[in-house]
Structure formats: C-alpha cells, structure tokens
Amino acid sequence: MATRKASTDDPLAPLTLAVGQEDLLLDRAVRQVVAAARAADADTDVRDLTADQLQPGTLAELTSPSLFAERKVVVVRDAQDLSADSVKDVKAYLGAPVEEITLVLLHAGGAKGKGLLDAARKAGAREVACPRTTKPAERLTFVRSEFRALGRSATPEACQALVDSIGSDLRELASAVSQLVADIEGTIDEAVVGRYYTGRAEASSFTVADRAVEGRVAEALEALRWSLSTGVAPVLITSALAQAVRAIGKLSSARGGRPADLARELGMPPWKIDRVRQQMRGWSPDGVAVALRAVAEADEGVKGGGADPEYALEKAVVTVARAARSGRAR
C-alpha cells in the first residue's frame, strides 16, 4: 500500500486532481501522468473512463492487486458527475491507495461534486489547475508560455498577432505555436505570424483596420476586398475598425507617460501603446469623431440597415483613412 503524500509536483503521486473546464489543459494533465508512468514502466496499463463508466465496484476491480504488480493509471473524467455510490468507492480508495497505481480525477470545479473535490484535496492530491481561458490577456499569457515551453522566443507583437489571428481555441493556439517553432528559426516576429495566418478572419479584419487608421487608402481597400472575397464576416471588419479608432481616441486624450503607465491607465498592453502612437500621427480630435460616425454607420449597414454592406464598408474605410490625415494639414 502506498503512503499518502502531501500535494506534490510528482506526476506519479497516488492521486492527481485536474480541476477546471479547459479541455486542452485537462488532456495535458492526463498525458503528463501517463508519460511519467510509461517512462517508469513501459507496460503501464491505462484505463480512461467517463463518469458513467465508473459503476459501483469498478474502481475496486481496476485497483485490485495484481500477481505481476503492474503499474496502472486510472483516469476518471467528469468526476463531478459520478453517482453517489461511485463517489463512496472513490473516497474509500483515497484512504488506502494502492501501490503502483495512479488515480487521475478530472473535475470541473464548482459546487457540483464538491464533496469529492474536498475529499481528494484532504487526501493530499497533486492538483493541476485547468481553468478555462475567457480573457484575451489569459490567451496571450498562454501563447507566451507555449513558446517558452518549447524553448523559443517570440516578440510581444507576434504573440498578440497570433491571438488575434487564431481566436480563443487553445488547441488551435498551441498547434499554431508548434507549427511556427517547427518551421521558423530564430525569434518569431509579427511578420512571420502574418505570413502564416493572414488568411484567418480575425487577422484580415485587423489588417484592414490597421491600414485604414494609418491613412493608407489603397492598401486598406485592397485588404478589405481580399477579406470579403475569402468569406470574412463584415461585422468583424466594422468591429476591428471601431477598436482601432477608439484606441487612437483614448491615447490621444491621455496624458503623456511611459507605455507601461499608459497601458495600466487605458487597459492596453504596452506594445499596443507603441503601435497606436505610430498610427495616431496625423489624427485630429475632429478626425476621430468623423471616423467613429463613419464606422457606426457602416456597422448599421452591415447588420441589415443598408442595401449594400460592401459599399458601406468601402465608404467607412475611405472615410477612416482620410480622417487619419486630417491633422496633417494643420
């Protein structure tokens, strides 16, 4: 019989508790334990069960002593959904874990099944946090950690561009980081991300917005037409335009200071402060107001208020690009 351990980073601890609702992180927690077990014993037997598959008596059967003392990993997914009888079985096992067996409980957290969660923690489970990422800043942190874990460096702009391009799916973000690391030597920058993922809806809509607020009319219209031809939703483009113009308005009305101080004040990452500062050259307060009105009209047009959404977008892009030069003649 294995001695119960206090919480530890050892993936071969008798019990690992993965808590959260982010599927990628939950799967990684399982893979880490399985990899460690198979490194210790290549013949490790892995049983991966859903809550409904762990019937009363199943855990006792899976953890019964073997003549060959083989190593086992027993994974129980959605442990918060276990029946009351199965919960009793798991709690009983926690009091007397079996040597050479690692039990992995995947629990969503929250109130449901909290008794089991508390019992596992009290038993000294090794706990792995697997929270769902809901904020852009959390996804940005995730991308940075992925690059670090693979031993590579990426610029802040590249990490942000990747999040903007891929969106909220952590699996896709992780896959994109792996692809870039495999294909690119040296530091990964924004230009590299653009070459690889410029076809993504979010990326192309932000390209339209960037070219427009920089006053580059022809390039903005070219990016707009390409985006629409590849199926980008018009509402994504008006959203990107609105974000870009608002950022210029916010920064132009803010008091001067270091990027880090302004970032805290305006809720932007420091690297974006530097980018917006470059983009805001030539803008005037009147220009910002004109651009915001144009974007609002385009947004209404693409949401059913106009007969031709493409024309509404083209008109907004041209107006924003011209507004970007409104302060230069002064």
Side-chain angles (χ1 to χ4, degrees), residues 170-195:
L170 289 199
R171 290 187 188 278
E172 290 195 26
L173 284 169
S175 176
V177 170
S178 297
Q179 185 68 52
L180 290 168
V181 167
D183 291 355
I184 305 299
E185 296 182 358
T187 299
I188 294 164
D189 59 20
E190 185 181 13
V192 169
V193 174
R195 287 201 304 271

Side-chain angles (χ1 to χ4, degrees), residues 227-316:
S227 297
L228 293 174
S229 71
T230 56
V232 176
V235 69
L236 286 178
I237 298 172
T238 56
S239 175
L241 283 168
Q243 289 182 47
V245 176
R246 288 192 192 110
I248 287 170
K250 287 168 68 175
L251 188 57
S252 63
S253 62
R255 291 174 294 179
R258 297 178 304 167
D261 296 331
L262 287 171
R264 286 191 292 271
E265 179 183 344
L266 302 178
M268 299 181 190
W271 68 264
K272 190 169 184 179
I273 297 293
D274 292 333
R275 172 183 284 182
V276 176
R277 271 178 169 166
Q278 294 175 351
Q279 292 176 333
M280 65 187 285
R281 295 168 186 164
W283 280 88
S284 68
D286 288 343
V288 171
V290 167
L292 286 174
R293 282 196 299 271
V295 174
E297 290 173 1
D299 191 56
E300 181 181 359
V302 304
K303 291 179 179 177
D308 190 342
E310 290 191 19
Y311 172 73
L313 284 170
E314 287 189 3
K315 182 180 177 182

Side-chain angles (χ1 to χ4, degrees), residues 41 43 45 47 66-72 99-101:
D41 181 353
D43 295 325
D45 180 23
R47 303 298 178 92
S66 167
L67 290 175
F68 303 101
E70 64 179 354
R71 181 176 290 277
K72 288 184 181 179
E99 190 174 359
E100 301 299 316
I101 292 180

Side-chain angles (χ1 to χ4, degrees), residues 26-237:
L26 291 167
D27 286 345
R28 283 185 173 180
V30 172
R31 289 201 301 270
Q32 183 187 30
V33 172
V34 171
R38 287 184 169 155
D41 181 353
D43 295 325
T44 294
D45 180 23
V46 178
R47 303 298 178 92
D48 196 325
L49 309 173
T50 58
D52 61 326
Q53 291 175 319
L54 194 73
Q55 297 297 316
T58 302
L59 184 61
E61 179 183 343
L62 291 175
T63 58
S64 60
S66 167
L67 290 175
F68 303 101
E70 64 179 354
R71 181 176 290 277
K72 288 184 181 179
V73 174
V74 178
V75 180
V76 180
R77 298 180 183 271
D78 299 317
Q80 73 279 355
D81 295 330
L82 287 171
S83 67
D85 288 337
S86 293
V87 168
K88 289 179 182 178
D89 286 352
V90 174
K91 288 182 176 179
Y93 176 81
L94 296 179
V98 179
E99 190 174 359
E100 301 299 316
I101 292 180
T102 299
L103 177 63
V104 183
L105 298 178
L106 276 56
H107 195 293
K112 188 177 182 181
K114 190 173 183 298
L116 177 59
L117 193 62
D118 292 341
R121 286 170 171 160
K122 187 176 180 180
R126 166 184 176 261
E127 187 165 341
V128 180
C130 304
R132 178 165 290 167
T133 56
T134 58
K135 299 178 182 178
E138 294 171 344
R139 293 191 282 275
L140 185 59
T141 298
F142 173 79
V143 168
R144 288 171 175 164
S145 67
E146 289 292 288
F147 278 116
R148 284 196 299 270
L150 293 173
R152 294 293 298 278
S153 60
T155 66
E157 294 83 359
C159 293
Q160 184 65 53
L162 199 58
V163 171
D164 291 340
S165 300
I166 301 299
S168 60
D169 191 309
L170 289 199
R171 290 187 188 278
E172 290 195 26
L173 284 169
S175 176
V177 170
S178 297
Q179 185 68 52
L180 290 168
V181 167
D183 291 355
I184 305 299
E185 296 182 358
T187 299
I188 294 164
D189 59 20
E190 185 181 13
V192 169
V193 174
R195 287 201 304 271
Y196 271 70
Y197 298 102
T198 190
R200 301 300 293 252
E202 296 92 341
S204 54
S205 63
F206 282 111
T207 298
V208 175
D210 284 340
R211 298 298 85 81
V213 298
E214 290 162 3
R216 296 152 67 174
V217 181
E219 292 178 42
L221 287 173
E222 181 182 359
L224 172 64
R225 288 162 189 153
W226 183 89
S227 297
L228 293 174
S229 71
T230 56
V232 176
V235 69
L236 286 178
I237 298 172

